[in-house]
Amino acid sequence: MGDVAKDLTAGTVGGAAQLITGHPFDTIKVKLQSQPTPLPGQLPKYSGAIDAVKQTIAAEGPRGLYKGMGAPLATVAAFNAVLFSVRGQMEAVLRSHPGAPLTISQQVVAGAGAGVAVSFLACPTELIKCRLQAQSALAGSGTATLAVKYGGPMDVARQVLRSEGGVKGLFKGLVPTMAREIPGNAAMFGVYEALKQYLAGGPDTSGLGRGSLIVAGGLAGASFWVMVYPTDVVKSVIQVDDYKSPKFSGSIDALRKIRATEGFRGLYKGFGPAMARSVPANAACFLAYEMTRSAMG
């Protein structure tokens, strides 16, 4: 079985583990990011992550925490196949000779290259997911954003294609998506390999146990969000912005307006749920990837 096929298969299994583990946290993150700024004297719809969880379950039941999972679940195979196979192919290119271990800086370059590739899959998937997750947060807020309710992932795609400029509409937010995926994946894969080598006491990490892989994967996932979280906030608000009456003209404009109205803290809305998600979700992803990859030889 070729290395690309092995990376494809193992990446798919890892992505599914990551999605199932982390999606409820991601739902809360997006709701906190996309809730409208309250008027003077008014309280925000959600006072924090725990309040968002309580209101979501009260209004939609536990299934509400998994809203929008259909889009990423449908594309998880393609997304993780690209992520891990491109990373694997870049590793092969960067090696001085077959089988040679890569330096940490080379792992960073491989992760960045994988980030470029997955951005084109992540952008439309994230747009659909964010629209579904955010619509309940924006409902009844008085904002025009997402005034039309979406029945599911395919309904979001149909409405965007029909009324938001065709295929181009599905790639709204591509620039901040790339600004998230490229440095984020560079940091994540670099930290992951650095921690594996540290825990193994050298470049040979083949003997690491599951516990070490869980620790390395969880902390690597956390490094992704520490690196790029403000960019993710900008991406989310742009992707749920109203097409006909947009509040933001682009990424820089969104960044400026968030800082002007909410201060520096506005760029870290939902950071708690994102970090709470990243550790278990990425621990599950990397563990599932490594175990599947090892089982295939």
Side-chain angles (χ1 to χ4, degrees):
M1 190 176 186
D3 287 340
V4 174
K6 291 176 182 178
D7 284 331
L8 187 155
T9 304
T12 300
V13 174
Q18 180 187 50
L19 186 65
I20 293 169
T21 303
H23 194 80
F25 296 98
D26 191 64
T27 296
I28 299 305
K29 171 181 73 72
V30 172
K31 287 193 173 191
L32 290 172
Q33 288 177 342
S34 57
Q35 66 175 329
T37 304
L39 298 173
Q42 292 185 343
L43 295 174
K45 182 177 178 66
Y46 306 115
S47 61
I50 301 300
D51 183 49
V53 172
K54 290 178 179 177
Q55 288 196 44
T56 299
I57 293 176
E60 306 171 55
R63 291 181 61 184
L65 295 172
Y66 284 90
K67 181 169 286 186
M69 195 172 78
L73 188 60
T75 57
V76 68
F79 183 92
N80 284 278
V82 171
L83 180 67
F84 283 97
S85 62
V86 170
R87 177 206 176 206
Q89 292 305 297
M90 289 201 66
E91 286 178 340
V93 171
L94 292 168
R95 284 192 176 95
S96 56
H97 59 273
L102 295 182
T103 64
I104 301 304
S105 60
Q106 288 174 321
Q107 291 286 356
V108 169
V109 172
V116 174
V118 299
S119 294
F120 294 94
L121 288 173
C123 186
T125 301
E126 288 273 313
L127 183 140
I128 291 170
K129 174 180 69 67
C130 286
R131 294 282 179 100
L132 290 171
Q133 290 172 328
Q135 66 178 351
S136 61
L138 295 165
S141 65
T143 178
T145 307
L146 295 186
V148 177
K149 296 296 183 182
Y150 299 112
M154 294 304 296
D155 187 40
V156 177
R158 280 194 294 267
Q159 292 196 41
V160 170
L161 289 170
R162 183 173 64 245
S163 60
E164 297 187 28
V167 174
K168 182 181 178 181
L170 291 174
F171 286 88
K172 183 179 183 181
L174 179 62
V175 171
T177 299
M178 296 187 76
R180 182 190 75 173
E181 292 295 328
I182 296 171
N185 280 293
M188 183 174 70
F189 284 112
V191 168
Y192 180 62
E193 289 300 324
L195 287 171
K196 282 173 63 181
Q197 291 184 24
Y198 173 77
L199 294 169
D204 183 5
T205 61
S206 59
L208 287 177
R210 294 180 183 179
S212 295
L213 295 174
I214 288 172
V215 170
L219 293 177
S223 72
F224 182 105
W225 291 111
V226 169
M227 186 77 175
V228 299
Y229 195 79
T231 307
D232 184 66
V233 174
V234 170
K235 179 200 69 68
S236 292
V237 298
I238 285 177
Q239 289 187 322
V240 302
D241 200 14
D242 185 52
Y243 177 73
K244 294 181 179 178
S245 303
K247 293 191 296 182
F248 310 110
S249 61
S251 300
I252 301 301
D253 183 51
L255 181 66
R256 288 172 177 167
K257 287 181 177 176
I258 291 170
R259 289 197 61 183
T261 58
E262 303 175 58
F264 187 73
R265 291 181 61 185
L267 295 172
Y268 283 89
K269 289 189 298 184
F271 184 69
M275 293 301 291
R277 168 194 175 275
S278 68
V279 174
N282 284 284
C285 176
F286 279 106
L287 178 62
Y289 171 81
E290 295 282 9
M291 291 180 65
T292 305
R293 193 67 167 79
S294 177
M296 292 187 294

